[in-house]
Amino acid sequence: MNSPTSKKPRPSSRPSDHGRIVAEPSSCLDTLQLERLEREFRTWAEGTPRADVALSRRRILLIFLLIRHTGAKLHEVLTLNPVRDIDHAALTMAFGRDAQGGEPRTVPLSETLSREIKALLDDETFLHSAGQTLSVDPAFVRRKFYERAQACGFPKQLGSPEAIRKSRGVELMQSNMPLPAVQKYLGHSTPNLTSSYVSFSEDDIQAVTSTFLQRESARKTSARNAFFGRVGRILPADLQAVVELVTPGGHTISSIITLDSLNRMGLKEGRLATIEVKAPWVHLYPSEAEPLCSAENRFLGRIVRLTRGRINTECVLRIDAETELCAIGTNESLDRLGLREGAAAWAVFGAYATILRVD
């Protein structure tokens, strides 16, 4: 055993890739910040009436999405041939196919990202403008990334391709993806962690990564009446606790759970979670004015769809560009409300009417 005065071993002059990923978390964007940045890119890409500018912005958006969701390096993305190098049937992408001296690096894709890329490539105008690869001046890409980060109120350095790639690595590890799978997914080569691969074959790592990505994508683009976000506040009482979840869109949802559930799920402020509410528990108030009611959760939106059955009617309310709430009631009760598509309405539900889940 070393004595208290023993010299500590000097740190390696070549830290592992894993060390570089997790060091200085303040230099990374967290999941909700990444989601906010992605929304900013999408709004910016669609925010011009000029067709030529829109095509250019959509190419930058695609570059961002590939880095944000695959953790690829900028040069890997810029040399990608999206038609040749993406297999939508197998949900895989090959980076570096033309690189000298090695096989391409194949990574899994989520179904959500695959569908979005395919939709872009189905646009002949976009495909023709993109050419064979996504080749864009790297300095131009960086400048646009910096601008979007600053538009979100982030330091511009946190919007760099390298910072986003690093943030993706931290996000994956904080979500409990096995370290060997994270390393493989990001294309790291770490000799001093070779032993980590002993119990993971190449096929094992691909399978684990693919399963994880599909689950993550389903969680973040979850069905109606499910809110994904970060726990902002916990208010414990003698038997129960109020848990407030803040979504990337800025909505706050309250849920009441028992202290036993709180401890069993390991909930704490800052943890990612999902709050769900069943459609029959959502009540509607057709009005622009906020209703006077005791329900903790109240959201103003527009009715986008009414589906009438023999007994019940389903009403879908859009409360922002990416969030919909569904309410179900008897035909008679909803008829009394005078609901119509396009009209404003409030969706309300109590904190006791929610289900809180964590991965």
Side-chain angles (χ1 to χ4, degrees), residues 180 194-202 204-205 208:
T194 302
S195 60
S196 299
Y197 288 87
V198 171
S199 60
F200 288 87
S201 69
E202 191 80 14
D204 288 337
I205 291 175
V208 166

Side-chain angles (χ1 to χ4, degrees), residues 45-164:
E46 300 300 325
T48 175
R50 290 182 50 181
D52 57 337
V53 175
L55 287 172
S56 174
R57 290 186 179 186
R58 287 164 65 194
R59 190 186 313 190
I60 297 297
L61 170 63
L62 179 55
I63 292 170
F64 167 79
L65 291 174
L66 290 172
I67 296 175
R68 187 263 178 274
H69 290 288
T70 72
K73 298 175 183 177
L74 178 59
H75 74 83
E76 290 181 314
V77 173
L78 296 184
T79 57
L80 184 79
N81 182 326
V83 175
R84 180 197 62 194
D85 298 336
I86 300 177
D87 187 334
H88 295 282
L91 293 176
T92 59
M93 175 181 296
F95 289 117
R97 190 180 294 277
D98 294 327
Q100 298 296 321
E103 291 293 320
R105 183 170 73 86
T106 302
V107 300
L109 288 178
S110 71
E111 290 185 15
T112 302
L113 181 58
S114 173
R115 283 197 302 269
E116 182 159 7
I117 294 173
K118 192 172 186 301
L120 281 172
L121 299 181
D122 284 343
D123 183 336
E124 291 292 336
T125 306
F126 176 82
L127 188 61
H128 178 74
S129 69
Q132 291 297 309
T133 68
L134 294 175
S135 181
V136 180
D137 179 7
F140 178 76
V141 173
R142 291 180 188 280
R143 185 163 66 250
K144 296 305 172 184
F145 275 42
Y146 291 152
E147 290 173 0
R148 303 279 54 81
Q150 290 177 310
C152 290
F154 305 146
K156 74 173 189 178
Q157 293 80 2
L158 293 186
S160 72
E162 294 76 17
I164 294 170

Side-chain angles (χ1 to χ4, degrees), residues 6 38 46 93 102 124 142 152 167 196 209 235 243 248 252 260 319 334 337 345 350:
S6 299
E38 182 171 329
E46 300 300 325
M93 175 181 296
E124 291 292 336
R142 291 180 188 280
C152 290
S167 298
S196 299
T209 305
L235 303 173
V243 179
T252 299
D260 178 66
I319 62 175
L334 293 189
L337 296 176

Side-chain angles (χ1 to χ4, degrees), residues 23-325:
E24 301 176 13
S26 61
S27 65
C28 298
L29 298 175
D30 63 27
T31 295
L32 295 193
Q33 290 172 323
L34 286 169
E35 292 296 306
R36 182 178 170 189
L37 183 59
E38 182 171 329
R39 289 181 180 220
E40 169 60 30
F41 265 96
R42 294 183 186 280
T43 301
W44 170 75
E46 300 300 325
T48 175
R50 290 182 50 181
D52 57 337
V53 175
L55 287 172
S56 174
R57 290 186 179 186
R58 287 164 65 194
R59 190 186 313 190
I60 297 297
L61 170 63
L62 179 55
I63 292 170
F64 167 79
L65 291 174
L66 290 172
I67 296 175
R68 187 263 178 274
H69 290 288
T70 72
K73 298 175 183 177
L74 178 59
H75 74 83
E76 290 181 314
V77 173
L78 296 184
T79 57
L80 184 79
N81 182 326
V83 175
R84 180 197 62 194
D85 298 336
I86 300 177
D87 187 334
H88 295 282
L91 293 176
T92 59
M93 175 181 296
F95 289 117
R97 190 180 294 277
D98 294 327
Q100 298 296 321
E103 291 293 320
R105 183 170 73 86
T106 302
V107 300
L109 288 178
S110 71
E111 290 185 15
T112 302
L113 181 58
S114 173
R115 283 197 302 269
E116 182 159 7
I117 294 173
K118 192 172 186 301
L120 281 172
L121 299 181
D122 284 343
D123 183 336
E124 291 292 336
T125 306
F126 176 82
L127 188 61
H128 178 74
S129 69
Q132 291 297 309
T133 68
L134 294 175
S135 181
V136 180
D137 179 7
F140 178 76
V141 173
R142 291 180 188 280
R143 185 163 66 250
K144 296 305 172 184
F145 275 42
Y146 291 152
E147 290 173 0
R148 303 279 54 81
Q150 290 177 310
C152 290
F154 305 146
K156 74 173 189 178
Q157 293 80 2
L158 293 186
S160 72
E162 294 76 17
I164 294 170
R165 166 178 159 84
K166 181 178 179 181
S167 298
R168 179 56 170 157
V170 172
E171 179 182 43
L172 293 173
M173 287 189 292
Q174 288 179 337
S175 298
N176 297 320
M177 179 186 277
L179 174 59
V182 175
Q183 291 179 300
K184 183 70 176 178
Y185 190 58
L186 297 182
H188 289 168
S189 176
T190 316
N192 63 331
L193 288 175
T194 302
S195 60
S196 299
Y197 288 87
V198 171
S199 60
F200 288 87
S201 69
E202 191 80 14
D203 289 342
D204 288 337
I205 291 175
Q206 287 286 89
V208 166
T209 305
S210 180
T211 299
F212 183 92
L213 293 177
Q214 305 312 329
R215 187 179 75 239
E216 178 192 54
S217 179
R219 180 189 67 191
K220 292 182 181 178
T221 58
S222 53
R224 296 170 303 186
N225 296 26
F227 298 86
F228 170 73
R230 186 179 299 281
V231 176
R233 188 168 61 151
I234 298 176
L235 303 173
D238 51 350
L239 297 176
Q240 298 175 315
V242 176
V243 179
E244 293 183 350
L245 192 77
V246 181
T247 72
H251 300 298
T252 299
I253 303 94
S254 297
S255 178
I256 293 179
I257 62 175
T258 65
L259 294 182
D260 178 66
S261 296
L262 183 73
N263 295 328
R264 178 167 44 82
M265 291 190 289
L267 279 176
K268 59 183 180 179
E269 292 182 5
R271 181 160 186 183
L272 300 176
T274 300
I275 289 180
E276 301 173 1
V277 56
K278 292 185 178 180
W281 297 342
V282 179
H283 301 282
L284 298 175
Y285 291 82
S287 171
E288 292 275 2
E290 185 171 359
L292 296 175
C293 66
S294 61
E296 292 84 356
N297 302 296
R298 301 182 296 276
F299 302 98
L300 176 63
R302 293 281 170 183
I303 298 173
V304 295
R305 188 164 58 257
L306 288 166
T307 305
R308 189 180 183 90
R310 288 195 306 114
I311 298 175
N312 296 326
T313 295
E314 178 189 77
C315 177
V316 178
L317 191 76
R318 179 165 295 154
I319 62 175
D320 64 30
E322 300 179 7
T323 308
E324 292 182 347
L325 275 172

